[in-house]
Structures are given as C-alpha cells and as structure tokens.
Amino acid sequence: MEHTGKSDEGRQNSNLIRAFKSSPAGFVRQVEQACPAGVSQGEHLLDTAVDLAEEGEFKPALALLERAAELYEEAHDTPGLVRAYVNMGPLYGMLGELERGVSYSLKAEALAATLQPEPELTLHFASDLGGMYTELEEWERAMHYFELAHATAQAMGNRELEADALLVMSQVAIAQGDAGTARTLASQGKTLGEELGDTLFRARALQTMGDADALEGDYEQAVQVFLQALELEALTPDLELRQQLLWELSEAYEEQGKTDLAEKMRSQAAELGGGEDDESLEADE
C-alpha cells in the first residue's frame, strides 16, 4: 500500500518527536544529519521546526530553532538569525514563557531594523509582540505593536489583516478603559468587514461596541448590541466568539438585576467549554 507524501511526513515527524523525548540533544543531531544536499543546516533546522510547531510540538521546534540560531550567529547570517528569533518568540509565548518570548521577538525587531524592510516580517513580530504584551496586560506596548501591525497590513493592501488589527486594537482600548477610542476603532473595523462581506468581523466589531456601552454603564444598550453580535455569529459559527459574547451578556444582565437571564447566559457559555476569564484579545492569531 502506498502512502501519500503527507502521511510520510506525519510519520517522520512522529519519529522525530519520539527521538526528542528520548534525547533532546540526540534529536537535534538527528535532524542535522538528515539535512538534504544543497540546503543549509540552519534552513533545514528552521523549516523542520516550523513543521513541528504547526503540529503543536513547540518544545522540539524550539530545540531546533535554538540550534539554528547558533549556526546563523556563527555564520554572521543576520537574515537567518532574524527568521529564527521571529519564530522563537511566539513559541515561548505559547508555552507560557511570555517574558522570554517577548525578548526574542524584540531581538527579531532590532535585527530586522538593520536589514531591508520586509513587511511580512514586520507583521510577524508586531502581531506577536502585541499578543504577548496583551497577555502581560501591558496595554500601551500592546497597542503600539498592534498599531504597527495595522499600518503594515494597510501598506501591504491586506484588508483582512487590517480589519483584524483594528478589532484587536479596539479590545485593547476596552482594557485601557477608553470606550471612545474602542468604539471608533470598532466602527472602522466594522466598515471594513462590511466591505469584505465578512460576518465575523462585523460580529467582533459589535462585541467591542457592546463592551464600550457596558464600560459607560449603559447595560441595556450593551445587551442589545451583544444580541445583534450573536445573530451575526450564528451565520458563520465561531464557538470562541460565541462564548465570549454569552459571558459578556451574562455580566450585562447581572448589572441590570436580571439574574435569571444572567444565569442562563452563563450556563450556555459554560456548555461551550473554557472559562469566564477567556480573553478576546488576539493577534493572528
């Protein structure tokens, strides 16, 4: 029976993961030794790391990226070193080592500034830093990097990423307690979403607008906006967004003294899994 290339690659990665668990150092040597002719060791390590990271195998991926960074540094290969660092940052972040992740993404930013501008690279580290600073609740820094991601996406003509950045920025503004800025950013994101025909962008924009109403104490209006957002979400189901909206609805109902409705929303949110502390602030994600 013949296997497809994809299944062969999956089997190969499974073998690599077992090798990592047995001996991380031996695993790295094994990958190095399998480097194809005509490909640099650093590039091979980096590409293999990216494949493993896409499968959620962050620790093996980081072991390879660490070695790739060593090789690039020894060769004084700045572009290669930037590629290693820009991938290491978010992986450490996803493992919960946020400060370490931030440090690598900042290194990537500093080195990238010495090279010819690459919008995709800028978008990568800017989104990653915005997301990690959000996790650290360092809102001003998060906003700075999301603004950079937005400006870069706009310059690239990528309207989907531009809309996404606007909506993430709007949620950062909510976290900063700035309802006016949040509403303005959400409105801009909603307009782009309408032009793109993207229902979820519109739903996310309404989510922020409802948050802004709640922040200003207008819980009746917040409830109406959250309900509109849920109607849009139902057209293109997104369980994470639905759960967030249900939690926010429960809080708005609670503030109005409508405890039965609040409990109903909490129960529906709980049925979707996760917890009340789930955040809607993402890069991308």
Side-chain angles (χ1 to χ4, degrees), residues 127-128 130-139 142-143 146 164-176 182 204 207-208 211 240-241 244 248 277-285:
S127 298
D128 293 336
M132 287 187 283
Y133 278 128
T134 291
E135 292 292 324
L136 292 167
E137 298 187 1
E138 296 188 32
W139 307 120
M143 185 65 89
F146 284 135
D164 184 66
L166 284 166
L167 295 172
V168 174
M169 289 161 60
S170 75
Q171 281 290 303
V172 173
I174 288 294
Q176 291 176 307
R204 287 172 57 194
Q207 177 188 27
T208 294
D211 289 336
E240 184 178 358
L241 177 58
Q244 292 167 4
E248 289 162 330
D277 293 331
D278 286 350
E279 292 291 337
S280 60
L281 296 170
E282 297 184 285
D284 114 295
E285 36 194 187

Side-chain angles (χ1 to χ4, degrees), residues 35-223:
C35 181
V39 178
S40 73
Q41 290 279 11
E43 184 179 354
H44 175 61
L45 289 165
L46 197 149
D47 289 344
T48 305
V50 170
D51 288 341
L52 290 171
E54 288 176 349
E55 295 182 8
E57 299 294 342
F58 302 149
K59 290 183 179 180
L62 279 166
L64 297 180
L65 289 170
E66 292 278 6
R67 177 58 179 155
E70 290 176 6
L71 294 174
Y72 285 132
E73 192 166 12
E74 290 170 4
H76 303 289
D77 184 341
T78 301
L81 192 56
V82 172
R83 286 182 64 207
Y85 286 162
V86 83
N87 283 285
M88 291 166 70
L91 291 184
Y92 275 117
M94 284 185 277
L95 287 172
E97 297 186 53
L98 291 167
E99 296 287 357
R100 194 172 184 182
V102 164
S103 72
Y104 277 110
S105 291
L106 288 175
K107 287 179 181 180
E109 178 186 22
L111 287 175
T114 69
L115 304 172
Q116 288 295 320
E118 290 187 38
E120 292 83 0
L121 181 63
T122 300
L123 193 62
H124 197 327
F125 69 68
S127 298
D128 293 336
L129 283 166
M132 287 187 283
Y133 278 128
T134 291
E135 292 292 324
L136 292 167
E137 298 187 1
E138 296 188 32
W139 307 120
E140 289 186 11
R141 290 179 177 176
M143 185 65 89
H144 167 74
Y145 282 105
F146 284 135
E147 286 173 345
L148 176 58
H150 171 257
T152 304
Q154 195 171 41
M156 292 169 64
N158 191 322
R159 303 178 79 209
E160 288 82 5
L161 290 179
E162 182 185 350
D164 184 66
L166 284 166
L167 295 172
V168 174
M169 289 161 60
S170 75
Q171 281 290 303
V172 173
I174 288 294
Q176 291 176 307
D178 188 344
T181 296
R183 194 176 279 111
T184 297
L185 291 168
S187 179
Q188 293 172 357
K190 183 172 179 289
T191 298
L192 263 180
E194 289 169 347
E195 293 173 0
L196 292 167
D198 192 305
T199 302
L200 286 179
F201 281 152
R202 293 163 58 200
R204 287 172 57 194
L206 288 174
Q207 177 188 27
T208 294
M209 293 175 179
D211 289 336
D213 291 329
L215 199 59
E216 294 172 337
D218 191 346
Y219 297 107
E220 183 176 353
Q221 176 64 19
V223 164

Side-chain angles (χ1 to χ4, degrees), residues 15-43:
N15 292 335
L16 289 176
I17 294 162
R18 282 195 294 272
F20 173 78
K21 292 178 179 177
S22 174
S23 169
F27 154 76
V28 173
R29 285 195 299 272
Q30 179 180 333
V31 174
E32 285 188 275
Q33 291 167 2
C35 181
V39 178
S40 73
Q41 290 279 11
E43 184 179 354

Side-chain angles (χ1 to χ4, degrees), residues 199-200 203 227-243 245:
T199 302
L200 286 179
L227 290 172
Q228 291 175 35
L230 278 170
E231 289 177 2
L232 286 174
E233 180 275 331
L235 299 175
T236 311
D238 182 300
L239 296 185
E240 184 178 358
L241 177 58
R242 186 185 309 171
Q243 185 182 53
L245 288 166

